[in-house]
Amino acid sequence: QSALTQPASVSGSPGQSITISCTGTNTDIGAYDYVSWLQQYPGQAPRLLIYDVTSRPSGVSSRFSASKSGNTASLTISGLQAEDEAHYYCTSYTRTDIPWVFGGGTKLTV
Amino acid sequence: EVQVAESGGDLIHPGGSLRLSCAASGFTISNHYMTWVRQAPGKGLQWVSVIFNAGGTRYADSVKGRFTISRDTSTNTVFLQMNNLRAEDTAIYYCVRVGEGWFDPWGQGTLVTVSS
């Protein structure tokens, strides 16, 4: 069982917006502004999509945005494109002996 | 360019040992936290171990006492020594440079299969 809770799947049509939630506790998401989001295509390694809750690395489309409220983080993808179809994982730094925890992943179908 | 490249994955019998390597380039591993993350076939990501810039280490409960993370700063390489391997350790193992709020870059991973 994953420490952070994500929906197993979400879907949307091209051009629409979707939001993926990631729920933790006050020892991880709620404790720090250290949430990141990863994108993974089948057969490929994950890549960093969002870091420090809201920041995008260079090269990541502005269609990807993220936020946090309390113990829940969210990833929003606007103007959905076919190429966005992938798995998305959230992760958070924690104040426990286990420094980082992952969500179980969400499969996005476009 | 900042990169990591894993190697050392193999088919190994239960109870066996294996050492994974992670060659880093474009940055100095002793200035960063370096971590191993694994992904079992068809499953999600699981944090395994970290070596901090100061040299301290941490492990997931599932590997504590069996896995050891280390580094060689002269070759800018991180290692994961895996002993007493179990079927449930079967996964792709990724080496990742990590900060409190980010994991980047990711290598392509190395596959470890534990099976008799």
Side-chain angles (χ1 to χ4, degrees):
Chain A
Q1 189 168 350
S2 301
L4 304 179
T5 301
Q6 298 180 235
S9 63
V10 298
S11 63
S13 301
Q16 288 185 331
S17 294
I18 63 95
T19 297
I20 299 172
S21 62
C22 171
T23 303
T25 69
N26 57 8
T27 61
D28 39 66
I29 293 178
Y32 303 105
D33 287 336
Y34 289 140
V35 177
S36 63
W37 290 88
L38 307 166
Q39 179 190 56
Q40 186 179 34
Y41 293 112
Q44 294 188 21
R47 74 151 177 159
L48 183 65
L49 208 57
I50 298 286
Y51 66 96
D52 292 351
V53 180
T54 62
S55 299
R56 280 189 312 274
S58 60
V60 173
S61 171
S62 58
R63 297 186 298 105
F64 295 91
S65 62
S67 62
K68 188 191 87 165
S69 178
N71 297 335
T72 298
S74 299
L75 173 71
T76 297
I77 309 174
S78 59
L80 272 177
Q81 299 178 1
E83 66 198 47
D84 299 330
E85 190 162 290
H87 277 87
Y88 294 85
Y89 295 90
C90 60
T91 181
S92 175
Y93 190 63
T94 89
R95 59 164 60 156
T96 71
D97 288 342
I98 308 301
W100 291 276
V101 289
F102 285 90
T106 299
K107 181 177 181 179
L108 168 62
T109 301
V110 180
Chain B
E1 183 181 1
V2 172
Q3 289 182 326
V4 294
E6 307 90 340
S7 62
D10 205 348
L11 170 62
I12 193 83
H13 292 307
S17 298
L18 204 59
R19 188 175 85 154
L20 305 183
S21 299
C22 168
S25 57
F27 69 98
T28 301
I29 61 171
S30 57
N31 292 336
H32 295 275
Y33 307 167
M34 296 297 296
T35 194
W36 288 93
V37 175
R38 69 184 181 184
Q39 187 170 34
K43 301 297 184 180
L45 301 169
Q46 180 189 22
W47 177 79
V48 173
S49 180
V50 63
I51 184 165
F52 295 107
N53 53 342
T57 60
R58 297 268 187 88
Y59 300 91
D61 289 343
S62 58
V63 307
K64 199 174 295 183
R66 300 188 299 123
F67 289 13
T68 302
I69 191 171
S70 63
R71 67 188 181 188
D72 182 344
T73 55
S74 68
T75 60
N76 217 35
T77 302
V78 180
F79 303 100
L80 186 67
Q81 177 67 42
M82 305 186 295
N83 298 330
N84 191 20
L85 282 161
R86 306 166 179 168
E88 54 265 35
D89 296 319
T90 294
I92 296 173
Y93 285 74
Y94 295 102
C95 170
V96 198
R97 186 180 63 169
V98 63
E100 282 83 355
W102 52 270
F103 286 73
D104 184 72
W106 293 69
Q108 281 306 299
T110 188
L111 177 62
V112 174
T113 303
V114 184
S115 175
S116 53

